[in-house]
Amino acid sequence: MRGAMGATLAGLFQLALVFPSQGGELVRVKITNLAFVPADITVQPGDTVEWVNEDFIDHTATETSEAWDVAIPAEKSAQLQFPRAGTFSYYCRIHPGMTGTVHVIAK
Ligand SMILES: [Cu+2]
C-alpha cells in the first residue's frame, strides 16, 4: 500500500517537471472588484496567462499600445501565451483605471 502511494507520487512529480518544457505553465490572474489580482506578475517565455473574471461585468486585458487585446466576458476566463521576453503593460479598455503588468523573463 505504502509502496503504491510512493510510486504514484513519483509519477506526479515527474509530470510536474516535464510539463513546463511542453509549452510553459499556466499563470492565473484573478479579476475581482474592477482590479487585476495580482496586478504585477512575472512569467517565463512560453507561459500562458489566464485571466479569470469573477466580476459580473465584461473586462479586457489590452496591451498599452494595443499589440494585443483579450476580451474577458463576465464570469468567464481567457488566455494569452507569451512566447517572448519583455515587459507588457496592459489595462481594461472598458475601465481604463484597471491596469496590470506582465514581466516575461527567461530563467
Ligand atoms: Cu474592465
Side-chain angles (χ1 to χ4, degrees):
M1 191 62 182
R2 170 173 278 205
M5 283 274 270
T8 303
L9 278 179
L12 284 175
F13 279 119
Q14 266 179 357
L15 273 181
L17 288 171
V18 166
F19 183 66
S21 63
Q22 291 180 337
E25 293 180 5
L26 190 64
V27 180
R28 286 199 173 84
V29 175
K30 208 161 68 164
I31 302 175
T32 182
N33 295 321
L34 295 160
F36 298 108
V37 182
D40 199 287
I41 60 169
T42 299
V43 304
Q44 293 185 62
D47 285 355
T48 296
V49 175
E50 180 176 57
W51 287 275
V52 180
N53 187 358
E54 296 183 353
D55 284 344
F56 298 102
I57 49 176
D58 296 350
H59 295 295
T60 73
T62 304
E63 201 267 341
T64 305
S65 60
E66 299 193 1
W68 39 265
D69 181 27
V70 180
I72 315 156
E75 298 186 282
K76 294 278 193 303
S77 59
Q79 300 181 352
L80 183 67
Q81 191 178 29
F82 290 81
R84 279 175 292 280
T87 297
F88 304 95
S89 297
Y90 66 94
Y91 66 106
C92 173
R93 265 190 295 109
I94 305 161
H95 315 97
M98 294 173 62
T99 60
T101 306
V102 179
H103 305 272
V104 185
I105 301 171
K107 257 190 193 158

